[in-house]
Amino acid sequence: MNPAPPPDDQDRDQDRDEPDARGRPVGRRVVLGTLGLGALGVLAAPPLQRGLESFLAAASDKDPTGLTDLLPNGGGFRYYSVTSSVPRKSPADYRLTVGGLVDRPAAYTLADLRALPQTRLVRDVQCVTGWRVPDTPFEGVRLSALLDAAGIRPEAKAVRFTCFDGAYSESLTLGQARRADVLVALRMQDEEIGHAHGGPVRLYVAPMYFYKSAKWLSGITVTDKVVPGYWEGRGYDIDAWVGRSNGRDDEPTSG
């Protein structure tokens, strides 16, 4: 069966509660009611978005198939994990270790990290799969500050990051890791980073595709060479500059 043809201009301009062959009547009262609901939707959008985020985060945590990872939440982000589930870390039991080719290995609690000077960046987030979330605030400790505190040895060339999901890893050269726009992030979108977004602490590498910003960060290890991360071992570029890698020409996200 062929679909009914679209209404012509006269049909669109009608303002009578008069049905046509396509179904129920649509008139002034319905239009005004719809506009009212639309205004209500604008007012309700923030709590609805937060509710959707919470729902998708919980569903993602319990979904061994990974299908929920394909769903965008209201903020444009998608929930990704390379494991079927990720343990949660409370402020009391979270630790971030810094070790490898350093003179002063350390283990930071969440309170320790919060007590350090904080840097806030607002940048677009660009995923290598194509989606982008503009003007996203991140706040945390500059990675360079933690490296300086640890005392980098002369033979050091790179930094490797491990995560408490037990599977994910990433790497940066030492020069990349020392950039002012690379954070050990504690806050995102002006809130503490939730579990689904990689909290309580994640890496944020502003000028690179988002797979470099490792979630659920637990370890920082200074090494003598770059060790390819989880996705690099599956074909993604190690140097993942937005717009200059992975065969993509996206607009840069950071200066």
Side-chain angles (χ1 to χ4, degrees), residues 22 32 34 48 81 84 105 110 136 143 158 182 193 209 224 228 233 238:
R22 287 178 300 280
L32 292 176
T34 302
L48 288 175
S81 171
S84 60
L110 197 55
T136 303
L143 177 59
V182 177
I193 299 177
Y209 285 103
D224 61 358
I238 293 176

Side-chain angles (χ1 to χ4, degrees), residues 197-254:
H197 283 302
V201 177
R202 71 175 297 160
L203 187 65
Y204 177 52
V205 185
M208 293 191 178
Y209 285 103
F210 208 35
Y211 66 85
K212 300 296 287 191
S213 297
K215 296 163 72 173
W216 306 298
L217 185 64
S218 63
I220 298 171
T221 305
V222 180
T223 61
D224 61 358
K225 62 181 179 181
V226 171
V227 180
Y230 181 91
W231 285 116
E232 286 90 356
R234 290 157 176 80
Y236 285 88
D237 287 353
I238 293 176
D239 293 324
W241 306 106
V242 172
R244 294 187 283 128
S245 66
N246 295 288
R248 297 186 61 88
D249 60 355
D250 305 285
E251 288 293 323
T253 57
S254 179

Side-chain angles (χ1 to χ4, degrees), residues 11-68:
D11 290 331
R12 284 197 294 271
D13 292 339
Q14 283 179 343
D15 194 31
R16 299 189 299 273
D17 290 343
E18 181 177 306
D20 62 18
R22 287 178 300 280
R24 300 176 64 86
V26 177
R28 186 188 301 272
R29 289 191 298 273
V30 176
V31 171
L32 292 176
T34 302
L35 290 174
L37 289 173
L40 180 61
V42 170
L43 294 174
L48 288 175
Q49 178 174 324
R50 289 193 293 271
L52 180 59
E53 283 201 20
S54 299
F55 170 77
L56 288 176
S60 178
D61 255 2
K62 297 176 174 62
D63 176 19
T65 69
L67 293 177
T68 51

Side-chain angles (χ1 to χ4, degrees), residues 30-241:
V30 176
V31 171
L32 292 176
T34 302
L35 290 174
L37 289 173
L40 180 61
V42 170
L43 294 174
L48 288 175
Q49 178 174 324
R50 289 193 293 271
L52 180 59
E53 283 201 20
S54 299
F55 170 77
L56 288 176
S60 178
D61 255 2
K62 297 176 174 62
D63 176 19
T65 69
L67 293 177
T68 51
D69 294 347
L70 304 177
L71 297 173
N73 69 30
F77 287 91
R78 287 158 173 79
Y79 297 104
Y80 292 113
S81 171
V82 299
T83 64
S84 60
S85 64
V86 180
R88 292 177 179 269
K89 297 288 185 180
S90 70
D93 60 17
Y94 178 79
R95 296 293 183 277
L96 174 63
T97 61
V98 181
L101 298 175
V102 300
D103 294 327
R104 297 177 293 276
Y108 293 88
T109 66
L110 197 55
D112 292 334
L113 293 171
R114 288 171 175 165
L116 295 173
Q118 305 290 300
T119 296
R120 187 175 188 268
L121 300 175
V122 180
R123 300 284 191 275
D124 291 358
V125 167
Q126 178 69 55
C127 181
V128 75
T129 59
W131 56 265
R132 188 179 185 107
V133 182
D135 300 327
T136 303
F138 281 86
E139 188 173 349
V141 181
R142 281 182 173 156
L143 177 59
S144 60
L146 298 183
L147 297 176
D148 289 345
I152 304 300
R153 294 180 182 172
E155 63 268 33
K157 297 291 190 296
V159 184
R160 184 170 186 261
F161 308 94
T162 50
C163 308
F164 61 78
D165 67 348
Y168 203 82
S169 64
E170 259 307 334
S171 285
L172 296 171
T173 67
L174 196 55
Q176 293 165 355
R178 287 190 176 280
R179 286 180 59 108
D181 53 6
V182 177
L183 302 181
V184 172
L186 311 179
R187 293 175 62 81
M188 171 181 163
Q189 297 176 310
D190 295 319
E191 297 180 351
E192 293 182 359
I193 299 177
H195 178 75
H197 283 302
V201 177
R202 71 175 297 160
L203 187 65
Y204 177 52
V205 185
M208 293 191 178
Y209 285 103
F210 208 35
Y211 66 85
K212 300 296 287 191
S213 297
K215 296 163 72 173
W216 306 298
L217 185 64
S218 63
I220 298 171
T221 305
V222 180
T223 61
D224 61 358
K225 62 181 179 181
V226 171
V227 180
Y230 181 91
W231 285 116
E232 286 90 356
R234 290 157 176 80
Y236 285 88
D237 287 353
I238 293 176
D239 293 324
W241 306 106

